[in-house]
Amino acid sequence: MTFTHDFPDYRISDGTVEGIRALLEAVREGRVEDIPELVGALTDAERRKGLPVLKQWRKDTPDFWGEGHLLVRRGLLLAGAGCCTGAAAAVQWLTSRDLWWLGPEDPQVVVGVMGDRAPEWLAEVARRLAERRIVGGWEYGLIKRLSLIAGCEPPMTDSFILGWERDIPERGKTIEERLRDDPFLKAAVPRLFEVDEAGSDFQYTRDTDPGWPDALAALAREGLLSREMLVEGCLSRLLRGGRLGIVKGFLALLTALDLTADERAAHTLTWVRMLSGGHSLAAARAQEKLAELDEAGRLETEHLVEASRAALFRPEKKIVRAQLAMLDKAIKHDRSLTDELLPVTAEAFGHEDHSLQGKALALAVRHRKHAGDAILAELAASAELLPSDLRERAVEAFGGAVADEEADPPAAEGDVLPPVPYPERLDPAPLAPAELAEEVVALLRGKGTPTQEERALNSLVVHAHADLAGLRTALEPVVAAHRQPASWLSDNVFAQALEAVVMFVMGKAAEEKTRTLRIQSGLGALRFRFQEHQCPHTAIWSVCLSRVAEIGARLEFGDPLPFLLATPTWTTGTIDPSELAARLAAYEDSGTEPGPADLDQALLRLDREVPLEARAAADRLTSPAGRRLAAWLASGGLPDPVLSRETEGLRLRITRPGVLVRTEALPGHEDYPEPFRSLLGAHDPIGAPCKCRGGGQCTPQALALLPQHREIIAARMLSAFSALADSDHLGHGVPVLPALAESGGPAGPATHLLVAYGLGARRIEEQLFAVDAMLVLAARGQLDAEGLGRDIAELTGLRRLTLKRVVAALQEAARTGAYATVWAVFSGALPGLLAGEPAPAGGALLTLAADCAERSGARGAIPEIDELAARKGSSQLIKQARRLRAALSRDAY
C-alpha cells in the first residue's frame, strides 16, 4: 500500500459569492488568523451555503500530521464552528473526533467566530459542551468565556468541575488568589465534594503556595465560603472513599479546617461510619478523633462499642491495635463498663492476623476477673475462633467455661478447590451476516475471546464464498463507521488481522478507508510482517497474519475457501480430530485445495486424545492433506518439547537476573514455512536471546495457537514476564494466567514460573489472576505445589519478587479453603526463604504457613523452621516459627 502526502483538491465553484469565497480561500491557504473576521462578515444564509463545502473538505483532508494539513484542519475547525447556525451543530463540529484535538490554546480564537451570536445561543453551546463526558483545557476555557459573554452561570457538570479545578492553578499566582477572583467560586466549590475525581490536586503544595486546602480554609475565614459547607462536604467525601491521592487531599483539607471540639463532637456518628467503611487513611483519622472525644469524656459508650466493632473487623493491624488499646484504657478507667466492653474484644478473635488475635485474648484475660459469668461464657464461645495455640490459653484463662475442645482443630479432609473447568464445545454454525457485522465491531476493538475471533473469521470466509454481495452489504455500515485503525484501538494482533480480512472482503469499496486510515491490508504488507525477521516470539502473532494473507489471496484470485479448517471445536482452541477429518472430507468432495497455513494451524490444534473412529475417518481420505492428517494421527501428533530451566547471569543491563525456560526445536520443524518454523523451533532466551527483546503477546490468543502444548507458548511468555517483573509492571501480563491453567498439555516449569511471577504482581486484583490459575491447576491435578514454592523462593532470592506481595496472594488462596494446597507451596518455599536472613515479611509468612499447617493437618519437620524456633527471643517471626513447629509435630509448646 502506498501513501500520498499531496493536499486534496480544495475546489471552489465559480458561482460562489465573494464572502464565502474569501473564507474558503483563507481555510485552503491556512490563514487561520483571518477566519474570525471573514466569518463575522457573513450572513446566516451565507454561512449555511458555505458549510457543505467545509464538510466535504474536512472529509477529504488526510489525518496524518504535517504543518500544512494542521493549518487547514485548524481553519476548518474555526470556519465550520462559525458557519454552523445551530448550537447543537456547532458543538458537534467543535468536538468531532478529527477536529477537537486541534483546539487552540487560547479559546478566544473560537469565541471570535461565535461571539456575534445571541446570548441564548451562546449559553446553549456552553451547556452542551459542559455536558460532555470529558471537558479538555481549551474546551473549559471556551465554556467559561461563552458563559461570561452570555451573562449566565455554566452548568456545574462533573466534567466542567474537573476542567474548572485544572484551570485554577496559574504560574505567578497562588491558589487562594486565583480562587478569590474566580467568578464561579461559590457555585463550583460545593461540587468539588460531589464529583468523584475532583480534589486530586488537594494533596500537593509548593514552596510559594500552600495549595488548595489552606486556600479554601482561608476563604472560609474571610466569609467568601461557608465553613459549614466545607466541613460537611469534606466529611461526606471522605465517607465515600476513593483512590489514595484524593483521600490524602481531603484529609489535608480537614487538617486545614482545624475542627473545634464542638464540631468534632457534633460529627461523632460520622467518625463511626468512617471508621467502619472508609479508606484506611480516613478510618485512622476518624479513630484519632474518636480517641480525642473519649479522652475528653464526650464519647458515649454505645458509640465506643459501635466504633470498636467496626475497627476490629478491619484488616489494618494499626487500627485494630489502636482500638484494642482504646478499649483497654476505657475498661481501666471505669470497671463498671467491663461487661459492656469486654465482649467487643472477641470481635478480634476471628481476625486473620495471629498477633492481633493474641492481643485481643490477652486483653480479655487481663480483665476477666471483673466480668460476670455470662460474659465469660460468651468469651469462651468466641474462643472457638482462635487457633489451637491461643485456644489453649483461653482454656487456662476461662477454665470450665470453654467447651471441651481438643488441643488441635480437626484436620481438614483435603482442599476446598474450584470445580474442574471443562472446555465448552462451540457452535459450528457461522454467524448470520447481520450478527456477524455486530460482532466485528466489537472484535476490531480487541474486545473478544479467541473463540469469538475464530468464529467471526470463519463466518467471514463462509459468507464470502456463499454470498459475497450480501456480506458486503452487511459490512458496509461497519466500514463506514470505522474511524481508527485496529492497531490504535487494541494491541491485539488478531483485531488487526480481522480488520485486514474485512477490507479484503470489501474489495475496492474499502480502498478509500484503507488509504485514509493507513491500514496495512495489502498482501505485500501482510506477507512482509509474517515472513521477515521471525523469531520464537514474533512468530506467535505472525501466525494469524499468515492465515489472513492466505484468505486475502484466495479472495483476490477468485478462489475463496468454503470454510476454515482451523476453527476450534472447544473454547480452549482445541480441534476434535473427527471434526477435522470431516472438514477435509468435505474439501475433497468439493475439490477444494486447503490453504497451507490454515491446514498447519489446524493440525497444531488437534486434541491429544484421538478416538478410533477419527483414525478410521482419516485413513479413508485420499487427498494429500487427508493423507497428512492420517499420518499425523498415526504418529501421535506434535511431541512435547525438551525443556530446561535456566537462570540469567549478571550482566551490565541485568542486575536482577530472572529464571527462564529453554525449549529445544521440535522434530521436523524445518519442514514448516514461516512463521510456523520459528514457532516450533528452538527457543534459547539466555544463550541466544532474540533481537525482539522477548516480545510476543501474553494473551489467550497466543495459547490458542498450540492449545495442547502450553509449555511452548508459556516459555516464550516468560521472557516478557521476566521483563515486566523487573519493571514492576506484571499487571500487563497476568490476565493470561487463568487461560494458561485451563489450556492443555503438561504444566511444566514455564507454566509454574509464570504463576510464581503472577503471585508477586503489584496489586491484589492482579495477583488474583495467579491465585485463580494456581487453584485451577490444583483442581486439575496438574499443580506441582512444592515446585511452585521453590520457584517463589528462588525468584524472591533473585529480587524478582517481593515476599510481602506473595504472602498477600497466598492469603487470598487460603481464604478460599485451599489450605492443603497453600501449605504444600509453603513446604517447598520455606527452606529457600529461610536459608539466609529472614525477609521483613517473615512474620506474616510464617503466620500464614502456621494457619495452613494447622487447618490442613500437615506433618513433617522442616529443619529451617526447627532452627528458627530454637532461637531465643519473642519476635513475631520466632513466635510463629515455634507455633509452626508445634503444628507440624503436634506437640504443645
Side-chain angles (χ1 to χ4, degrees):
M1 179 176 175
T2 59
F3 304 103
T4 174
H5 294 266
D6 296 333
F7 272 45
D9 186 8
Y10 298 122
R11 294 185 179 182
I12 304 175
S13 61
D14 294 337
T16 305
V17 299
E18 187 57 36
I20 299 176
R21 176 180 291 276
L23 174 63
L24 295 176
E25 287 176 349
V27 173
R28 180 170 61 186
E29 296 168 10
R31 291 186 284 109
V32 177
E33 66 279 0
D34 295 339
I35 290 176
E37 182 179 351
L38 293 171
V39 170
L42 299 178
T43 65
D44 279 358
E46 289 173 331
R47 295 181 187 190
R48 283 192 290 268
K49 289 182 179 179
L51 188 58
V53 181
L54 294 171
K55 287 182 178 179
Q56 185 61 46
W57 285 10
R58 170 183 155 192
K59 180 180 178 181
D60 294 340
T61 303
D63 285 342
F64 51 80
W65 293 25
E67 184 176 356
H69 289 299
L70 288 175
L71 291 174
V72 171
R73 280 201 174 275
R74 188 161 289 143
L76 286 170
L77 174 74
L78 298 178
C83 288
C84 289
T85 55
V91 172
Q92 187 177 16
W93 186 278
L94 287 169
T95 58
S96 60
R97 185 178 295 179
D98 56 336
L99 292 179
W100 71 268
W101 53 275
L102 288 159
E105 293 183 5
D106 183 5
Q108 188 60 40
V109 178
V110 181
V111 174
V113 300
M114 304 170 69
D116 60 342
R117 301 288 190 178
E120 296 80 7
W121 191 93
L122 297 176
E124 179 64 12
V125 171
R127 182 186 69 79
R128 289 177 176 270
L129 285 171
E131 289 177 349
R132 283 173 50 78
R133 186 172 63 87
I134 298 176
V135 172
W138 77 271
E139 292 167 315
Y140 167 77
L142 179 59
I143 296 170
K144 177 180 178 180
R145 285 164 175 78
L146 291 177
S147 299
L148 293 175
I149 294 173
C152 68
E153 182 179 284
M156 296 293 161
T157 62
D158 290 3
S159 52
F160 177 82
I161 291 300
L162 294 176
W164 177 80
E165 183 186 355
R166 288 192 299 267
D167 185 66
I168 289 298
E170 181 180 306
R171 187 180 296 275
K173 288 187 177 182
T174 64
I175 299 292
E176 182 180 341
E177 292 168 343
R178 286 280 288 158
L179 287 174
R180 185 178 287 108
D181 298 335
D182 190 85
F184 308 132
L185 174 69
K186 292 187 177 181
V189 168
R191 290 282 289 135
L192 289 173
F193 304 112
E194 299 171 354
V195 179
D196 285 343
E197 285 301 309
S200 57
D201 291 338
F202 282 19
Q203 60 178 315
Y204 301 119
T205 61
R206 297 198 305 267
D207 293 339
T208 57
D209 186 356
W212 280 87
D214 283 16
L216 293 173
L219 294 176
R221 289 192 294 271
E222 295 176 18
L224 294 177
L225 291 173
S226 164
R227 175 179 173 83
E228 182 181 0
M229 177 272 296
L230 292 177
V231 172
E232 295 288 344
C234 185
L235 291 176
S236 66
R237 184 64 187 85
L238 288 170
L239 279 173
R240 292 213 320 272
R243 56 186 176 88
L244 177 62
I246 291 177
V247 173
K248 282 184 175 180
F250 284 103
L251 285 174
L253 175 58
L254 194 63
T255 300
L257 290 171
D258 190 20
L259 272 60
T260 65
D262 288 341
E263 286 175 325
R264 293 196 297 271
H267 290 94
T268 298
L269 290 179
T270 303
W271 304 124
V272 173
R273 289 175 56 202
M274 197 178 298
L275 183 56
S276 174
H279 188 281
S280 60
L281 292 181
R285 179 69 64 89
Q287 190 179 50
E288 291 175 9
K289 300 306 176 186
L290 289 170
E292 292 172 4
L293 292 173
D294 191 34
E295 186 72 23
R298 303 185 68 173
L299 183 64
E300 299 292 337
T301 303
E302 62 179 303
H303 293 150
L304 175 58
V305 170
E306 186 179 357
S308 298
R309 292 189 187 280
L312 298 180
F313 189 74
R314 295 188 66 98
E316 298 89 357
K317 298 179 184 179
K318 183 178 180 181
I319 290 177
V320 176
R321 282 196 295 265
Q323 199 65 33
L324 289 173
M326 190 185 302
L327 286 170
D328 188 31
K329 188 174 182 180
I331 295 174
K332 287 178 179 177
H333 182 264
D334 186 353
R335 298 293 186 185
S336 66
L337 297 177
T338 302
D339 283 359
E340 195 169 354
L341 296 182
L342 200 59
V344 181
T345 64
E347 295 285 339
F349 286 3
H351 200 279
E352 63 184 25
D353 185 82
H354 186 272
S355 64
L356 295 178
Q357 291 175 309
K359 286 184 180 294
L361 177 61
L363 191 154
V365 170
R366 186 159 54 249
H367 298 291
R368 71 187 187 281
K369 60 185 177 181
H370 302 291
D373 292 340
I375 299 302
L376 291 176
E378 186 177 341
L379 290 172
S382 298
E384 296 178 2
L385 299 173
L386 294 168
S388 58
D389 60 314
L390 295 180
R391 194 161 57 252
E392 292 175 8
R393 297 185 198 172
V395 171
E396 295 174 1
F398 304 129
V402 178
D404 291 337
E405 295 270 356
E406 297 178 3
D408 300 316
E413 296 181 3
D415 268 345
V416 178
L417 296 172
V420 177
Y422 292 101
E424 297 179 13
R425 198 174 186 94
L426 303 174
D427 185 354
L431 297 166
E435 187 181 1
L436 173 61
E438 294 179 1
E439 189 83 345
V440 166
V441 172
L443 294 176
L444 288 178
R445 295 181 176 272
K447 301 182 184 298
T449 64
T451 50
Q452 288 174 321
E453 295 163 347
E454 288 285 354
R455 190 182 183 195
L457 185 62
N458 183 58
S459 299
L460 286 170
V461 170
V462 169
H463 291 302
H465 179 270
D467 182 12
L468 182 58
L471 178 60
R472 286 175 173 172
T473 300
L475 291 176
E476 278 177 0
V478 177
V479 175
H482 193 42
R483 301 285 185 180
Q484 289 182 319
S487 57
W488 291 17
L489 298 169
S490 168
D491 60 359
N492 181 350
V493 174
F494 192 95
Q496 302 168 40
L498 185 68
E499 178 184 60
V501 174
V502 171
M503 298 307 167
F504 277 130
V505 167
M506 298 304 294
K508 292 184 178 180
E511 286 182 356
E512 181 180 352
K513 182 66 68 173
T514 57
R515 182 179 68 256
T516 56
L517 296 184
R518 293 176 291 163
I519 298 170
Q520 295 187 1
S521 62
L523 285 175
L526 286 173
R527 285 171 176 159
F528 175 81
R529 289 188 70 185
F530 76 78
Q531 288 179 347
E532 301 295 329
H533 315 297
Q534 288 302 314
C535 74
H537 303 105
T538 59
I540 291 176
W541 52 260
S542 296
V543 167
C544 67
L545 297 180
S546 69
R547 295 176 62 203
V548 166
E550 189 171 84
I551 293 169
R554 298 291 285 258
L555 285 170
E556 285 195 358
F557 298 149
D559 182 27
L561 294 167
F563 55 83
L564 294 177
L565 298 173
T567 304
T569 307
W570 290 290
T571 49
T572 56
T574 303
I575 294 178
D576 184 347
S578 299
E579 193 163 323
L580 181 56
R583 293 173 186 174
L584 285 173
Y587 265 42
E588 289 186 4
D589 292 341
S590 62
T592 303
E593 182 67 26
D598 189 32
L599 178 59
D600 286 341
Q601 176 64 93
L603 292 173
L604 295 177
R605 283 178 167 165
L606 283 174
D607 195 359
R608 288 172 177 259
E609 296 182 6
V610 183
L612 293 177
E613 55 269 24
R615 297 181 188 273
D619 290 337
R620 290 193 295 270
L621 298 173
T622 58
S623 64
R627 291 195 297 271
R628 184 180 175 192
L629 173 61
W632 181 280
L633 297 180
S635 66
L638 190 69
D640 290 314
V642 176
L643 307 170
S644 56
R645 194 172 174 282
E646 300 179 358
T647 303
E648 292 178 289
L650 290 174
R651 298 197 301 271
L652 180 62
R653 294 185 179 181
I654 302 179
T655 57
R656 295 188 298 169
V659 182
L660 302 174
V661 171
R662 170 189 169 91
T663 60
E664 302 295 341
L666 294 179
H669 77 283
E670 294 179 350
D671 298 333
Y672 288 86
E674 288 290 4
F676 295 97
R677 183 187 306 128
S678 294
L679 180 67
L680 303 176
H683 172 241
D684 186 1
I686 296 178
C690 301
K691 293 182 179 180
C692 75
R693 297 180 181 178
Q697 294 198 333
C698 299
T699 62
Q701 285 81 1
L703 291 168
L705 298 180
L706 295 169
Q708 292 295 312
H709 294 79
R710 61 179 148 200
E711 279 294 290
I712 296 177
I713 302 298
R716 284 143 179 78
M717 289 181 181
L718 258 179
S719 300
F721 263 64
S722 180
L724 290 171
D726 191 41
S727 60
D728 206 11
H729 286 89
L730 276 167
H732 296 304
V734 291
V736 75
L737 294 179
L740 176 69
E742 294 180 18
S743 195
T751 296
H752 284 76
L753 280 167
L754 287 176
V755 174
Y757 274 119
L759 292 171
R762 183 190 303 178
R763 299 179 179 86
I764 187 62
E765 59 269 22
E766 297 167 351
Q767 297 168 2
L768 290 178
F769 289 108
V771 171
D772 289 346
M774 182 182 79
L775 297 180
V776 167
L777 288 171
R780 297 181 69 185
Q782 298 174 332
L783 180 70
D784 177 5
E786 293 188 15
L788 176 62
R790 289 190 292 271
D791 289 339
I792 290 171
E794 183 173 5
L795 291 173
T796 301
L798 294 170
R799 295 185 298 149
R800 280 298 175 101
L801 294 182
T802 302
L803 184 58
K804 182 179 179 180
R805 297 177 185 174
V806 176
V807 172
L810 293 176
Q811 177 74 67
E812 292 298 323
R815 286 195 182 105
T816 69
Y819 298 109
T821 296
V822 177
W823 167 250
V825 174
F826 276 125
S827 67
L830 288 175
L833 292 174
L834 300 177
E837 192 64 27
L845 170 78
L846 294 187
T847 298
L848 179 57
D851 286 343
C852 293
E854 289 174 349
R855 291 175 181 266
S856 64
R859 297 287 192 278
I862 297 178
E864 290 78 6
I865 292 295
D866 293 342
E867 188 274 330
L868 186 60
R871 295 183 186 179
K872 295 181 179 180
S874 58
S875 67
Q876 186 68 10
L877 179 70
I878 294 177
K879 285 181 179 179
Q880 295 304 319
R882 292 168 183 165
R883 176 189 168 204
L884 179 55
R885 179 182 62 180
L888 294 176
S889 62
R890 285 293 181 265
D891 292 331
Y893 65 94

